[in-house]
Amino acid sequence: SLELTGTIEVGQDESDGARLEIQSGATFNGAIDLVVNQLARVLIDDNTLTLNSLSGAGTIQEADSFSEVDLIINGGGDSHFTGLLLLGDSESSVTVTGSGTTLYLGAGDGDGTSLTPNSIGQTRVTDGGTVLITPMKLGDTVFDTIATLSTTLFIDGGTFGGEGIVELLFNAPDPNFEMISGWIQGGNNQGTGTLRSEEHTSELQSHSDL
């Protein structure tokens, strides 16, 4: 059990390939900001972890294919993560919740040399939270390719959108897209984005109702 108000930084700098393993049953308590630098890696076994914020350009992934991870961000501020989230088990989730809590979620690879989309079992945006997906990017080059794969998108009182391409997969129980209330928007209050599945593609216009 870790009780902390402060920052956990994995990797001292962008060239440090540090690794943090969080075992099943480990608990975080307090306002914890997690920073995962570019070559660093965080492996999480079955766990629910609540963070104040998430940032960096490294890799966060399930410890193995059987791990179910729930990552909750509820600090009320901005998070910028441009690394790689590999939480693809259909029961794993990323939840952004609480008024003013915004996750700008990029994509790429932990080594910064190749393109790999994020993989998230369930993307959940609730109670005033915001998730904005940014496009795939290497250096200054922006690629028109999928930035995030998710089996389920759930919105209840939050905002989801961005300028990246999000694809919903159809190997999860229906409905895999559920919106009780909230907003779909393109860009950061302007521009367009894309939400697509195997059957349909929608352009996300700025602050338009679904």
Side-chain angles (χ1 to χ4, degrees):
S1 178
L2 175 65
E3 184 144 359
L4 170 70
T5 297
T7 301
I8 299 174
E9 185 170 7
V10 187
Q12 296 184 56
D13 52 42
E14 298 302 322
S15 62
D16 183 354
R19 186 170 78 168
L20 170 65
E21 297 184 16
I22 302 174
Q23 296 180 349
S24 177
T27 58
F28 285 2
N29 301 298
I32 296 176
D33 302 302
L34 178 61
V35 180
V36 186
N37 284 314
Q38 183 161 309
L39 296 184
R41 185 177 299 267
V42 175
L43 294 93
I44 309 174
D45 208 339
D46 293 331
N47 219 313
T48 299
L49 298 174
T50 300
L51 301 173
N52 187 66
S53 71
L54 173 65
S55 61
T59 300
I60 298 174
Q61 66 183 92
E62 296 154 334
D64 56 50
S65 60
F66 302 102
S67 300
E68 297 177 5
V69 177
D70 297 311
L71 196 61
I72 302 168
I73 302 172
N74 70 351
D78 289 352
S79 290
H80 296 262
F81 187 76
T82 58
L84 188 59
L85 275 177
L86 297 176
L87 304 176
D89 185 280
S90 62
E91 298 300 320
S92 292
S93 65
V94 173
T95 300
V96 178
T97 186
S99 178
T101 304
T102 300
L103 172 62
Y104 296 88
L105 183 58
D109 205 338
D111 61 9
T113 61
S114 60
L115 294 174
T116 304
N118 292 311
S119 178
I120 303 171
Q122 302 174 29
T123 303
R124 305 174 63 87
V125 193
T126 66
D127 296 331
T130 299
V131 173
L132 297 176
I133 307 295
T134 63
M136 278 286 210
K137 186 175 181 181
L138 281 179
D140 295 326
T141 304
V142 177
F143 293 84
D144 184 19
T145 187
I146 298 168
T148 295
L149 295 167
S150 187
T151 55
T152 300
L153 173 59
F154 176 81
I155 304 171
D156 185 7
T159 300
F160 179 86
E163 298 175 5
I165 298 175
V166 180
E167 181 165 287
L168 299 181
L169 306 178
F170 276 89
N171 60 351
D174 289 335
N176 71 331
F177 180 19
E178 183 176 0
M179 184 172 181
I180 296 175
S181 67
W183 292 95
I184 294 284
Q185 74 174 42
N188 185 12
N189 299 324
Q190 59 186 356
T192 60
T194 302
L195 174 64
R196 73 189 191 193
S197 67
E198 296 172 358
E199 299 177 358
H200 186 68
T201 299
S202 298
E203 189 176 75
L204 307 184
Q205 299 291 347
S206 176
H207 270 95
S208 61
D209 287 313
L210 181 68

